[in-house]
Amino acid sequence: MPAPALEAGGKETPEARLERLVDRVARVLPAQGPIGIFIHHNTLHAFESEDFERAVVAAAEALSCEPFLPEEEYRAEFRKGRILPRDVRWAVREESAAGADVAVLGRVTRLELRWRAAAYGIPDARGPALDWLLKETDVLRRPRPDVPPDARQAPLDEAGVAALWQACLSAAARAPSAAARAPAPAARHRDRLKAATGLDIDEWVHPVLIRYAGAYLDQGLARWALPGRARGLYACFLDLYSREWARHCGPWAEALPEALRRERDLGLSPAASLRGSLEALGVSEDEAERFLAATALALRGWAGMARQFERRPDRVPALPLPATLTEFLAVRLLLERVALAHAAGRLPGADANLSGLRERLGAAAPAAPAAPQPSGVERAWSLFHAAQLCGATAGELAGLSEAQAAALLGELESFGPLERRRALQAAYDRHLRARVCDALVAHAPARVPQNAAFQAVFCLDEREESFRRHLEELEPEAETFGAAGFYGVAMYYQGATDAHPRPLCPVALTPRHYVGEVKADPSDALVRWRRLSRRGSGRLGRLVRRLDGTFFGGFLATTVLAPVSILPLVARVVFPGLARRWFQTLPISREPATRLLLDRRPQAPPIGEFSGYTKEEMAGVVAGVLTGTGLAGRLAPLVIVAGHGSTSLNNPHESAHDCGACGGGRGGPNARAFAQMANDPAVRALLRARGLDVPGDTWFVGAQRNTCDNSVEFYDLERLPRSQEERFARVAKAFARARRREAHERCRRFEAFSGGPGAALAHVEARARDLAQPRPEYGHASNAFCVIGRRRRTRGLFLDRRAFLVSYDPSRDGGLATLEATLSAVVPVVAGISLEYYFSRVDPSGYGCATKLPHNVACLLGVMDGAQSDLRTGLPWQMVEIHEPVRLLLVVEARPESLERVLERLPEIKGLVDRRWLFAACLDPDSSALWLREAGGYRPWSPEAAPPSVAGDSAAWYAGRRDHLPIAELSRRG
Amino acid sequence: MTSLPSLRFCVLAALAGPALLLALLAPAGFLGRPWSERWTGRLTRAALSASFAALLLAALLYGAGPRKPVVLSLGQWFSAAGGFSFDLLIDGWSLAFASLAVAICGVVSSFSFRYLHREPGFHRYFVLLVSFVVGLLLVAFAGSIEVLFAGWEILGLSSALLVAFFHERPAPVDNGLRVFAFYRAGDACMLAAAVLLHHWAGSGSLSLLFSGAGAGLSRLGPEHVAAIGVLLIAAAAAKSALLPFSTWLPRAMEGPTPSSAVYYGALSIHAGCFLLFRAAPLIDACATTRVLAAAAGASTAAYAALVARAQTDVKSRLCFSSLTQVGVIVVEIALGWRLLAFAHMTGNACLRLLQFLAAPNALHDLHQLENELGARVAAAHEPPKAAGAAVYLWALERGFLDGLIDRRLVAPAARLAGRLEALDRRLCREPWVSGGAGEP
């Protein structure tokens, strides 16, 4: 309920202050909305104002997650050659700058010591584990087997190793050890209680809170709704759990109804109740933020979902209920107070007053365990390894003075596991960046077909890269383009068989136009029959849904319907491909013709401001895309405009595979609308008036490509002019062949597949329909860079489905307005995808939602692990397992000064680049020069290695290989 | 009669297939050298197909023959004083239940090959699934209470281990332990029934109890029948999550989706029903057991039907829907409607299996349904005014069974254990028991 923000004297009320505090706390919560519309975003959006390297470490600490991959995974990449010594050296030099050449051990510089420690590793062993290693293994008798070749002047014998160890021990003993930092005491009472007594009140509170939050936020999964939800999350809770029965929630909840009745009688607002709870718990105002953040993070998924209801009610699928984070926290703290009081009552010297509980617990419990100081042996252990890696001898170590030894040990401690991982991640990023830059520099711009046979525009999505490449290989006379896949048509769209409209545009835009689809001929018998059968099957489905939980309905369902359900069950589970083909042969599976209601109509739209577009608006949309992609002025007679989407079964994350530029929707309708606009003679007349000539014989065809089952659907073919039929037949044939080849390339990633292109197409079709398939497709996994420029700069390169490709023609963008528009539309989408994949991959169970296998759809809002858990956000392991967590490299075909000028106009994107959340480079439009943007300046790239060149087409390069492939120059490039 | 040896052979083959498979898979897992996914898949497919074919053949032979129950004795341990006998009882019901079980496990294993692809626990999962099949077959063909008990134990153990499949998180392990504890309560009843049966009847043969017309029951007094009946009902109730044991059922949803489907959707949940089903002559013979079984079934059905209405996640909703029908099936058995009960059991198993396997499809299904109807599926109704918020709370909190059990059973047991521990410590003065006021 809204409380006055200011007191009589003009001062801010405590409640208003608290609300502001809650707003700050909310930033650390996951910002994922309801799962039905999955929008990729930077998992650590709240930390974007800091440098990447610092932000991920700070976030990891605040959220108890991992900032980078485990050290061992990087090292495996190092052994594979995915990270080279020069990459690690580069990363260390970047980090330590001028300090890199300081000698730290005899002649060994800091650079040498650090890169070797990072690349080869210093095994982390402490205490008993180290004792075991020293006593039970031969580490002190044999030199390390993986010492870099240049470090080993003469192989150490057993005596040499022992002498080195003794020298390390004595050096470590000589140097005084640094004081260890004691961690701050935990903010929450629960943490201290758990440390002191082993009692975990979260185990009491969470089941109740999860059930209640689920019941309140439920979007229609349960048959019964929580009564009176309009009152708000907090008021509803007080009403429900103040009933006498609530004390049976557990032995701890004896006093719960009584406490809630007292709270209800006070008639407080949620913020006032929250303030009351903080007071009762003895949390002062200075530490309130830290305390509330820790409290909210204990069930971050549910707390974040409450916040989403508060901030983005438009994204809630069915019922935008009045829930706020303040209410959620108020409820949570009421439960915690009851639980703490119960737990405190069992402590010695029981005291009902909770405000001093933490201090009492602190006094009773042993002090929070500080990280134990490394013992002499532990310090000697890291020195022992460093010495071997750098080829230092026992004599050199013995010659160190006390101060030198201390400095060396300090050096090793300051480059611990976390710092090594940071350096390795930088090297990992850098290696891929170098390969991309090398390939782009070496690539001679492809020949542009004069008078292209046809042109095809695709979404910039990196999954379209392979399709475009195959299409070009098959049709050397064709040209392809990439653009943000909503094609400028930001609309609310409702298909002929859709129950309700949904937005199809990037999430940053709010559509103003509504576009509907209708059956072309509603009186057609097929249309009527289909409508009847759909309604019939819908009613039956609804009936079963209503019945099957009940006594008699369930009885009917299980005795009458079940025998009927057995055959489809077996068919779908055991033979998914076969079942799909059978269903397709049924006559009703043919879809009747439809058309879009694209023109402006006077009727009020069900959502948005206008029904349809005016011709003027259409001309604006068409002009935007034609100019942006560089199509204007060189249009072929036939232009295919393809959106994309993905269909899969048994996949709560289905929407995450759809088009990011359509806000997690399927972009076919946008492509179709765009084609219809561009074909409209009135629109073309307006375009001509703007100086943008669309030749009279040019025709646009909209299409939708399914990235999961590799189908392609062309729209409105009945309107195709006679003169285009022959040309279109050629297009259709090329697409049909390209989708088989592309399926084959995709299938190289699936261990379950081996075979040829025909089998591959059948395989991906079955995958999309298979209930048992947790990896219907790999989605955006392996995305790594984005090229904004003319296709000729990349055509003929095998980019392995890792590149977002955006068409942009710098030669016709004097004012840089097009580049600005392109960057501002594209970068947020691709950065969101890249960063979400990064975080879900480096910590699959912290930032991601771990394995899909036990996922349980809750409230139609998200997934839980198993029976009951926090709502899990991020991407599941099955989507990211083949992803290489690298930061995106954005290559723009422009002069450095042009890019810099545009970045100045786009402070948010510039900030991301400055703070290294993504990297940027410029490719000279007129030469093969390339500059990397580094620390605000542009450094010309000097190539390190030419990309492999392949005699043949894509298949010649990828055949028989499942791993990531290097970028290659294809000789049959189309 | 010529077909009898081959009927026996078929049943033995049906049992041997999964047992051999288990013997191949399990040691490899224990030795840390699991079979590859491909070979695990091939072997499982071969063994389950062979087992299913053998069962179908056995059913044909049985149908063509005199259709009399056949006892297949595999041997005896301790021949003195009745001893332990390993008997299999082959009749129409056991063949039907076994075929259903093997068919469903075959479908689920086919699902799981793809679903668990690249999962680190792939091999472990299949070891547990195959041991489940072995346990089910033993329960289906049990001719003596010893065999029944062995099968029952294997079922329980594999079930609890699958609940705790993702053992790197605490919740699955906690819940697995809880499921295991409830199962043990049922197992204790089963064991007590076995001991009493031996004591009173001098033999553990189940044909005494299970072969109809009460012929075998005449050797037992009515109070003996009642005691054994009550114990068997308790054992069945624990396995089938009847009241008051229902609280473990939603907690068992921690494993991979197909394991939830086969255990709590389809088969394990009906194992208790099958036991009652076999024990129907005994239930018929004694009014107490009949009333008790009917009461357990009816109250469970009513409980689960109410609770199912308020659950907001797919799997809880499904498991309570399934439990409702399990309750109804138990009532049908108590009323003596065996054929209906069996058909109902088959139907419930198949439908819930499908629903569980497709549970992650909930959003997709809903969108499709809405598009077919051309309107939103009416969001949930509020509970009827007469019932009101209190009933809703009761349903949402699953009848507060967990809280009641914590308070009435777990807390006293923990207190007792704490006292014993304190006593122990005072007596032994050993510092090795670390103190902790841990709430279980």
Side-chain angles (χ1 to χ4, degrees):
Chain A
M1 65 194 71
L6 299 176
E7 282 171 345
K11 263 174 53 192
E12 198 184 26
T13 60
E15 279 76 24
R17 261 206 310 281
L18 198 57
E19 292 279 10
R20 274 199 300 122
L21 206 67
V22 171
D23 284 345
R24 280 211 297 281
V25 166
R27 299 183 334 129
V28 298
L29 293 175
Q32 180 175 314
I35 198 167
I37 299 182
F38 198 99
I39 293 157
H40 293 287
H41 64 285
N42 179 2
T43 313
L44 295 187
H45 183 73
F47 295 81
E48 264 177 18
S49 57
E50 278 189 70
D51 282 349
F52 179 83
E53 294 80 5
R54 238 176 323 160
V56 291
V57 173
E61 199 166 328
L63 308 173
S64 322
C65 290
E66 294 295 331
F68 308 109
L69 287 177
E71 223 178 325
E72 203 32 61
E73 284 198 45
Y74 290 116
R75 214 147 284 134
E77 300 284 359
F78 182 76
R79 285 192 295 267
K80 262 172 36 188
R82 167 66 179 77
I83 302 177
L84 297 177
R86 68 163 170 253
D87 300 314
V88 190
R89 293 170 66 94
W90 175 89
V92 170
R93 189 175 280 284
E94 279 294 287
E95 238 178 41
S96 36
D101 296 321
V102 175
V104 288
L105 167 58
R107 65 210 143 64
V108 179
T109 60
R110 173 174 290 151
L111 173 70
E112 287 297 317
L113 179 66
R114 288 196 169 186
W115 92 257
R116 284 157 198 266
Y120 296 93
I122 292 175
D124 193 22
R126 294 162 188 282
L130 180 56
D131 283 347
W132 184 84
L133 272 180
L134 296 179
K135 285 183 189 140
E136 304 288 337
T137 68
D138 57 2
V139 287
L140 296 186
R141 289 195 298 277
R142 268 168 223 219
R144 267 180 76 149
D146 61 341
V147 167
D150 59 336
R152 193 182 292 152
Q153 294 120 338
L156 289 171
D157 56 2
E158 197 173 321
V161 176
L164 186 64
W165 173 242
Q166 285 309 324
C168 292
L169 275 179
S170 78
R174 260 176 292 153
S177 67
R181 182 174 63 105
R188 294 181 61 208
H189 300 61
R190 172 260 179 187
D191 296 340
R192 293 201 203 173
L193 184 70
K194 190 169 177 220
T197 66
L199 269 187
D200 185 358
I201 61 156
D202 277 356
E203 281 179 13
W204 303 345
V205 168
H206 282 181
V208 174
L209 187 60
I210 292 171
R211 273 198 288 272
Y212 173 71
Y216 184 85
L217 299 176
D218 180 34
Q219 296 294 302
L221 207 151
R223 294 190 59 234
W224 272 358
L226 177 63
R229 285 192 281 182
R231 289 171 296 176
L233 185 87
Y234 170 76
C236 234
F237 173 76
L238 288 188
D239 178 57
L240 199 61
Y241 283 83
S242 61
R243 283 158 206 277
E244 208 43 49
W245 271 351
R247 70 193 178 87
H248 299 300
C249 284
W252 63 275
E254 198 63 52
L256 181 67
E258 179 56 35
L260 295 187
R261 277 198 293 272
R262 270 202 312 274
E263 191 75 14
R264 190 182 55 190
D265 295 342
L266 291 176
L268 298 175
S269 72
S273 159
L274 185 57
R275 195 162 71 93
S277 290
L278 289 177
E279 261 167 35
L281 290 167
V283 178
S284 70
E285 267 199 42
D286 331 327
E287 58 157 344
E289 180 171 351
R290 185 162 165 258
F291 177 84
L292 284 178
T295 306
L297 283 172
L299 271 183
R300 57 192 72 176
W302 287 107
M305 189 54 73
R307 181 67 171 178
Q308 289 297 311
F309 270 66
E310 177 181 352
R311 282 301 158 102
R312 292 302 300 261
D314 58 316
R315 275 163 64 175
V316 175
L319 300 163
L321 297 156
T324 65
L325 180 58
T326 311
E327 287 180 286
F328 181 84
L329 289 172
V331 166
R332 169 156 198 136
L333 286 187
L334 284 176
L335 284 169
E336 283 195 18
R337 278 164 64 188
V338 174
L340 282 171
H342 178 79
R346 300 180 7 176
L347 295 178
D351 181 355
N353 182 10
L354 295 178
S355 61
L357 180 65
R358 282 185 299 181
E359 287 67 30
R360 276 189 286 136
L361 284 171
Q373 281 189 8
S375 68
V377 180
E378 284 164 358
R379 281 145 41 103
W381 173 250
S382 52
L383 193 53
F384 179 58
H385 282 275
Q388 291 194 53
L389 291 175
C390 298
T393 59
E396 279 175 294
L397 284 172
L400 292 176
S401 71
E402 191 175 305
Q404 280 171 324
L408 177 58
L409 285 166
E411 174 69 26
L412 284 173
E413 261 159 49
S414 70
F415 198 63
L418 183 66
E419 289 77 16
R420 295 201 292 266
R421 285 158 77 194
R422 187 170 66 205
L424 286 168
Q425 173 65 40
Y428 189 60
D429 279 330
R430 195 257 175 196
H431 182 82
L432 190 67
R433 215 154 61 228
R435 298 290 76 78
V436 174
C437 295
D438 284 349
L440 290 176
V441 167
H443 181 66
R447 181 187 62 90
V448 179
Q450 292 302 319
N451 306 323
F454 64 90
Q455 290 162 329
V457 191
F458 293 91
C459 182
L460 57 90
D461 196 292
E462 81 293 336
R463 288 168 289 180
E464 302 289 10
E465 186 270 329
S466 51
F467 195 82
R468 288 171 66 179
R469 177 158 36 78
H470 287 288
L471 195 61
E472 289 162 353
E473 285 174 6
L474 287 162
E475 279 285 0
E477 293 308 310
E479 259 193 297
T480 66
F481 295 81
F486 73 111
Y487 299 115
V489 187
M491 61 177 174
Y492 287 109
Y493 172 76
Q494 182 166 15
T497 55
D498 290 352
H500 28 81
R502 59 162 299 164
L504 286 180
C505 64
V507 66
L509 302 180
T510 308
R512 295 162 63 209
H513 300 87
Y514 166 82
V515 174
E517 182 198 37
V518 291
K519 299 271 161 52
D521 177 11
S523 60
D524 182 12
L526 177 67
V527 174
R528 279 208 311 263
W529 158 243
R530 278 192 61 88
R531 187 184 304 135
L532 270 179
S533 64
R534 285 174 69 86
R535 288 286 144 89
S537 112
R539 295 222 171 93
L540 186 68
R542 186 170 57 186
L543 194 68
V544 172
R545 225 177 129 75
R546 283 201 186 141
L547 286 183
D548 82 339
T550 62
F551 219 79
F552 298 106
F555 177 76
L556 282 180
T558 48
T559 49
V560 180
L561 281 180
V564 190
S565 74
I566 294 174
L567 275 184
L569 163 79
V570 175
R572 285 176 76 181
V573 170
V574 186
F575 313 105
L578 203 60
R580 180 183 156 274
R581 283 199 288 282
W582 280 346
F583 286 121
Q584 269 186 346
T585 55
L586 297 178
I588 54 162
S589 66
R590 187 164 64 84
E591 289 287 339
T594 59
R595 62 192 174 84
L596 288 185
L597 296 176
L598 201 53
D599 282 307
R600 172 64 54 84
R601 285 166 302 138
Q603 293 96 322
I607 185 167
E609 294 169 42
F610 312 109
S611 292
Y613 286 77
T614 63
K615 302 288 181 198
E616 197 60 51
E617 288 166 342
M618 292 185 196
V621 167
V622 175
V625 172
L626 293 187
T627 334
T629 52
L631 265 167
R634 44 197 298 245
L635 286 162
L638 186 58
V639 183
I640 310 296
V641 184
H644 68 96
S646 170
T647 49
S648 50
L649 290 184
N650 241 9
N651 182 9
H653 295 82
E654 186 182 9
S655 160
H657 293 310
D658 283 333
C659 179
C662 297
R666 296 178 189 143
N670 302 67
R672 184 185 188 189
F674 178 85
Q676 192 173 330
M677 290 176 181
N679 286 334
D680 191 324
V683 174
R684 290 188 179 189
L686 287 169
L687 285 172
R688 204 164 302 124
R690 293 186 182 197
L692 206 162
D693 191 31
V694 178
D697 63 343
T698 292
W699 191 259
F700 291 81
V701 174
Q704 173 160 279
R705 206 173 87 72
N706 187 322
T707 52
C708 191
D709 71 7
N710 268 40
S711 61
V712 177
E713 182 186 4
F714 294 100
Y715 294 110
D716 298 325
L717 289 180
E718 67 283 357
R719 300 192 194 177
L720 191 73
R722 264 282 162 73
S723 56
Q724 295 281 4
E725 274 172 6
E726 197 178 327
R727 203 170 276 118
F728 180 76
R730 179 174 171 183
V731 168
K733 193 169 149 226
F735 267 66
R737 291 177 65 197
R739 76 193 180 94
R740 284 155 55 96
R741 288 192 177 196
E742 202 254 358
H744 192 239
E745 184 179 331
R746 275 180 58 204
C747 280
R748 78 184 188 86
R749 294 288 197 175
F750 301 137
E751 283 172 14
F753 175 80
S754 53
L761 188 61
H763 181 80
V764 296
E765 282 172 349
R767 232 167 221 272
R769 303 285 309 166
D770 187 356
L771 280 173
Q773 187 48 262
R775 298 169 188 80
E777 64 162 302
Y778 269 123
H780 294 287
S782 85
N783 78 82
F785 57 105
C786 171
V787 182
I788 299 181
R790 288 168 292 190
R791 173 62 174 158
R792 52 199 294 255
R793 302 307 295 266
T794 50
R795 186 168 180 169
L797 285 177
F798 180 92
L799 300 179
D800 201 18
R801 295 163 63 84
R802 308 189 74 176
F804 298 97
L805 295 178
V806 189
S807 291
Y808 160 71
D809 190 346
S811 66
R812 290 195 265 169
D813 187 26
L816 297 176
T818 305
L819 184 57
E820 183 180 344
T822 306
L823 283 184
S824 63
V826 166
V827 174
V829 176
V830 295
I833 293 172
S834 148
L835 289 167
E836 175 140 57
Y837 271 79
Y838 175 90
F839 289 113
S840 291
R841 177 66 182 80
V842 295
D843 191 347
S845 57
Y847 291 127
C849 57
T851 171
K852 265 180 177 180
L853 306 190
H855 279 178
N856 182 4
V857 176
C859 311
L860 302 173
L861 290 173
V863 291
M864 300 194 291
D865 270 332
Q868 195 171 52
S869 81
D870 197 2
L871 268 191
R872 300 305 309 267
T873 55
L875 302 174
W877 172 246
Q878 281 83 355
M879 277 175 76
V880 297
E881 59 181 349
I882 64 161
H883 184 63
E884 285 191 337
V886 290
R887 282 168 275 177
L888 189 84
L889 170 64
L890 180 72
V891 184
V892 182
E893 191 182 2
R895 301 278 310 168
E897 55 277 13
S898 310
L899 179 61
E900 203 52 32
R901 218 163 66 232
V902 174
L903 285 180
E904 289 299 335
R905 294 184 220 154
L906 302 167
E908 286 207 8
I909 293 171
K910 181 168 185 292
L912 282 180
V913 180
D914 282 343
R915 295 189 283 274
R916 292 182 300 282
W917 292 78
L918 53 95
F919 295 98
C922 286
L923 184 60
D924 189 0
D926 306 314
S927 75
S928 64
L930 186 143
W931 298 267
L932 268 179
R933 190 175 187 278
E934 277 169 8
Y938 286 82
R939 192 153 70 184
W941 176 254
S942 42
E944 292 176 349
S949 61
V950 177
D953 57 7
S954 301
W957 183 232
Y958 71 72
R961 301 170 44 172
R962 297 217 188 271
D963 267 351
H964 300 292
L965 289 176
I967 299 177
E969 188 82 49
L970 303 175
S971 68
R972 264 194 55 202
R973 51 173 55 176
Chain B
M1 291 312 277
T2 51
S3 71
L4 269 186
S6 48
L7 172 64
R8 288 179 178 155
F9 175 77
C10 286
V11 169
L12 281 180
L15 270 169
L20 274 177
L21 177 61
L22 187 61
L24 276 175
L25 292 182
F30 281 122
L31 295 176
R33 303 189 64 95
W35 292 81
S36 70
E37 276 189 27
R38 179 164 304 194
W39 274 102
T40 310
R42 280 183 190 159
L43 290 173
T44 310
R45 205 169 291 145
L48 291 185
S49 309
S51 176
F52 187 61
L55 282 171
L56 283 188
L57 194 58
L60 276 179
L61 291 171
Y62 184 81
R67 304 195 190 180
K68 285 228 179 73
V70 177
V71 175
L72 174 59
S73 194
L74 294 183
Q76 204 91 73
W77 191 30
F78 284 113
S79 50
F84 299 110
S85 55
F86 296 98
D87 293 347
L88 302 184
L89 177 64
I90 306 167
D91 64 2
W93 302 119
S94 61
L95 284 169
F97 187 72
S99 313
L100 177 73
V102 173
I104 284 183
C105 288
V107 170
V108 166
S109 61
S110 165
F111 185 96
S112 307
F113 296 139
R114 280 162 281 154
Y115 202 69
L116 273 88
H117 175 51
R118 289 173 67 95
E119 161 68 35
F122 186 92
H123 190 264
R124 179 161 47 101
Y125 174 87
F126 278 95
V127 169
L128 292 174
L129 189 66
V130 174
S131 54
F132 174 69
V133 178
V134 173
L136 265 179
L137 286 175
L138 287 180
V139 169
F141 287 114
S144 65
I145 202 149
E146 294 85 355
V147 176
L148 181 66
F149 187 72
W152 206 249
E153 287 294 293
I154 296 176
L155 277 193
L157 191 64
S158 71
S159 176
L161 289 176
L162 265 178
V163 171
F165 184 77
F166 294 103
H167 49 61
E168 64 283 354
R169 285 188 288 122
V173 181
D174 278 0
N175 287 332
L177 188 64
R178 218 169 238 257
V179 171
F180 191 61
F182 277 103
Y183 276 0
R184 297 307 296 181
D187 297 344
C189 296
M190 170 80 85
L191 193 62
V195 171
L196 290 181
L197 187 63
H198 268 275
H199 186 68
W200 285 327
S203 144
S205 169
L206 287 177
S207 48
L208 269 181
L209 307 177
F210 291 174
S211 54
L217 297 175
S218 51
R219 282 164 66 184
L220 297 171
E223 71 282 6
H224 300 155
V225 172
I228 292 174
V230 168
L231 286 170
L232 285 182
I233 290 174
K239 194 67 94 195
S240 282
L242 302 181
L243 281 180
F245 300 102
S246 309
T247 128
W248 67 258
L249 187 59
R251 289 173 175 269
M253 300 299 139
E254 295 283 6
T257 302
S259 74
S260 303
V262 72
Y263 280 78
Y264 315 112
L267 292 175
S268 185
I269 186 89
H270 290 110
C273 298
F274 184 71
L275 176 67
L276 291 183
F277 190 81
R278 300 312 303 266
L282 183 122
I283 292 173
D284 291 345
C286 168
T288 322
T289 51
R290 187 184 271 246
V291 169
L292 185 70
S299 58
T300 304
Y303 164 81
L306 263 184
V307 170
R309 284 173 156 79
Q311 300 307 311
T312 57
D313 64 276
V314 177
K315 290 183 184 173
S316 301
R317 190 187 135 126
L318 265 176
C319 77
F320 282 109
S321 300
S322 176
L323 185 59
T324 311
Q325 298 310 313
V326 169
V328 176
I329 292 168
V330 170
V331 174
E332 288 162 3
I333 294 170
L335 292 178
W337 301 339
R338 295 177 78 182
L339 194 59
L340 174 66
F342 198 87
H344 197 171
M345 202 157 85
T346 313
N348 197 36
C350 292
L351 185 69
R352 302 309 170 190
L353 178 71
L354 174 66
Q355 288 178 326
F356 260 105
L357 290 182
N361 212 30
L363 282 160
H364 189 102
D365 282 343
L366 182 76
H367 291 156
Q368 191 178 348
L369 191 59
E370 288 188 339
N371 290 345
E372 282 175 351
L373 289 167
R376 286 202 188 287
V377 174
H381 320 278
E382 293 197 356
K385 273 275 180 292
V391 174
Y392 179 82
L393 178 65
W394 187 88
L396 180 67
E397 293 288 344
R398 298 164 186 170
F400 300 103
L401 268 187
D402 259 340
L404 285 175
I405 285 174
D406 277 355
R407 187 197 304 249
R408 300 272 174 247
L409 288 176
V410 182
R415 266 201 301 278
L416 181 66
R419 290 214 187 99
L420 289 178
E421 189 195 327
L423 183 71
D424 197 46
R425 220 180 301 176
R426 205 169 330 138
L427 291 179
C428 306
R429 304 213 174 276
E430 282 274 39
W432 50 267
V433 190
S434 65
E439 180 88 0

